[in-house]
Amino acid sequence: MADVMRPEKLDMSNDTSSLGSPELLHVLAVDDSIVDRKFIERLLRVSSCKVTVVDSATRALQYLGLDGNHSSVGFEDLKINLIMTDYSMPGMTGYELMKKIKESSAFREIPVVIMSSENILPRIDRCLEEGAEDFLLKPVKLADVKRLRDSLLKADEMAFKNIMHKRELQANDIYSQLKRAKI
Amino acid sequence: MDALVAQLQMQYRNYTVSLYQQGFLDDQFTELKKLQDDASPDFVAEVLSLFFEDCVKLIGNMARALDQTGTVDFSQVGASVHQLKGSSSSVGAKRVKGLCVTFKEYCEANNYEGCVRCLQQVDIEYKALQTKLQDMFNLEKQIIQAGGKVPQVDIN
């Protein structure tokens, strides 16, 4: 009986939350402005996030392996917890980038935040309707990032707790069965 | 030594406050300073340096776009103005940003003279800010060299 109750047998290794190291959210930031890239990178570092910054939507897709030049091999281990993108970028906009991300099975669950210097209501609505986690007006504030981070960590913590609770119920269930079978 | 530090710190405080009062800088610059710490002591200077490089590049673009003999592509000028507006906003360069707002309106109105005037003003304004900030950074260096700490300046 004791043998079966060892945690390893219950497959706790399946990590469906990104709570490997809770403090280090990995954020992919996309912006064509060099000043804004420097700024957002610092904002995120100060907020204890791991940051990858790229200068275009195309580069972001390359980074994620969604540019059609790769198979999905090698990108499953890429742990991104949040994507923050500027809206107005030459070539592909942040909105179009988000649509591509939402179309991919690998990355559609990753929250996407859109940043813009322009407070255009129809634009904001469209982004939120398309599934944006949030829409931030530039310049982005430290408080905005902290708020995002806290809400993501909370969501992760909730998901993690739910998983642990389920596992506990499973473990109790098995225990009861074994007890009844008098093993 | 302490008297010198105190004097430099007071100079620094007054100078910084005047930059805000005269409209060179706004709250966003304060936000930038919040992001600077002992681990990244030159962050503000680095961002501003990138901003001034951006100014040179974008103003160059605007000048070229306005220099077309024949029809001027105002949307091209406007695109560069939009970018400059964005980056000036991000660093708290209040006067430059304000000029960009006006500049953008002239672009949308296809007003050539207005655009040329704005271009000249934007060029003057970013250079003025650059000089002012250089003086501010120099004061910081002097304080540190005199053995003091750069004070946090409360604008409000």
Side-chain angles (χ1 to χ4, degrees):
Chain A
M1 184 144 60
D3 214 301
V4 181
M5 293 321 296
R6 260 186 287 126
E8 301 92 284
K9 304 269 172 151
L10 295 173
D11 189 20
M12 309 246 285
S13 60
N14 185 17
D15 179 29
T16 56
S17 81
S18 48
L19 222 77
S21 47
E23 303 81 19
L24 285 179
L25 288 181
H26 183 188
V27 184
L28 174 64
V30 192
D31 202 313
D32 63 311
S33 157
I34 189 165
V35 171
D36 288 349
R37 281 200 299 280
K38 175 98 180 167
F39 177 62
I40 197 77
E41 182 189 43
R42 183 73 193 147
L43 260 187
L44 290 167
R45 289 247 160 88
V46 160
S47 307
S48 309
C49 294
K50 180 180 169 202
V51 196
T52 301
V53 196
V54 296
D55 64 3
S56 70
T58 315
R59 288 238 208 276
L61 291 174
Q62 279 171 4
Y63 183 77
L64 296 169
L66 295 176
D67 60 340
N69 288 335
H70 307 86
S71 66
S72 60
V73 175
F75 290 93
E76 313 95 350
D77 290 330
L78 191 64
K79 278 252 184 290
I80 304 275
N81 303 109
L82 171 66
I83 297 171
M84 294 182 77
T85 177
D86 188 25
Y87 183 93
S88 312
M89 294 187 290
M92 195 185 300
T93 67
Y95 175 74
E96 288 157 358
L97 171 63
M98 177 176 64
K99 288 215 286 188
K100 285 233 165 17
I101 290 165
K102 293 299 175 192
E103 282 163 19
S104 89
S105 49
F107 297 107
R108 69 162 62 102
E109 294 305 315
I110 300 178
V112 179
V113 169
I114 309 241
M115 307 176 283
S116 174
S117 57
E118 295 171 297
N119 193 0
I120 298 173
L121 247 54
R123 172 184 291 185
I124 298 174
D125 284 340
R126 205 169 3 116
C127 289
L128 293 175
E129 271 163 33
E130 199 60 41
E133 174 79 13
D134 207 341
F135 188 101
L136 300 176
L137 279 183
K138 286 173 143 186
V140 176
K141 298 278 185 290
L142 197 58
D144 292 327
V145 173
K146 290 217 154 103
R147 184 171 43 85
L148 256 179
R149 187 175 153 258
D150 288 345
S151 92
L152 285 179
L153 286 176
K154 205 169 175 199
D156 244 8
E157 201 188 305
M158 281 305 294
F160 186 68
K161 277 186 179 153
N162 285 339
I163 290 163
M164 293 312 290
H165 184 55
K166 269 196 204 139
R167 300 259 161 93
E168 203 184 308
L169 291 175
Q170 283 172 350
N172 286 342
D173 196 37
I174 292 170
Y175 181 75
S176 309
Q177 287 179 32
L178 289 170
K179 225 182 160 186
R180 279 196 294 273
K182 292 205 172 89
I183 289 169
Chain B
M1 190 78 141
D2 283 332
L4 174 63
V5 167
Q7 187 190 42
L8 286 170
Q9 287 174 331
M10 193 181 72
Q11 236 182 306
Y12 175 77
R13 267 200 199 90
N14 292 341
Y15 195 69
T16 304
V17 168
S18 77
L19 290 183
Y20 283 84
Q21 285 176 341
Q22 289 167 32
F24 284 99
L25 299 172
D26 64 28
D27 279 342
Q28 182 57 20
F29 189 80
T30 316
E31 292 293 309
L32 284 189
K33 293 203 111 166
K34 281 188 199 164
L35 298 176
Q36 186 163 279
D37 60 20
D38 292 333
S40 271
D42 299 315
F43 172 70
V44 177
E46 285 167 6
V47 184
L48 267 304
S49 173
L50 286 174
F51 169 67
F52 291 127
E53 282 172 18
D54 218 25
C55 287
V56 173
K57 184 187 95 173
L58 292 171
I59 289 172
N61 290 350
M62 293 169 207
R64 267 189 301 279
L66 283 168
D67 198 28
Q68 307 298 341
T69 39
T71 36
V72 171
D73 185 352
F74 285 99
S75 67
Q76 209 186 347
V77 185
S80 289
V81 174
H82 177 77
Q83 287 191 53
L84 185 59
K85 179 167 163 257
S87 51
S88 59
S89 171
S90 295
V91 302
K94 189 175 179 181
R95 283 197 193 178
V96 176
K97 179 184 163 191
L99 275 173
C100 288
V101 172
T102 312
F103 200 160
K104 209 173 174 192
E105 286 164 13
Y106 280 128
C107 289
E108 279 154 17
N110 289 8
N111 184 328
Y112 182 76
E113 282 82 20
C115 282
V116 169
R117 259 198 325 271
C118 281
L119 180 65
Q120 288 167 346
Q121 285 177 300
V122 140
D123 192 61
I124 291 168
E125 209 52 61
Y126 97 80
K127 285 170 178 164
L129 178 63
Q130 198 169 20
T131 307
K132 294 279 181 184
L133 287 179
Q134 197 49 62
D135 290 342
M136 195 192 79
F137 290 136
N138 283 341
L139 272 172
E140 286 183 357
K141 276 203 197 99
Q142 286 180 302
I143 293 170
I144 293 168
Q145 275 167 2
K149 272 191 75 183
V150 178
Q152 301 265 46
V153 183
D154 192 4
I155 305 305
N156 300 309

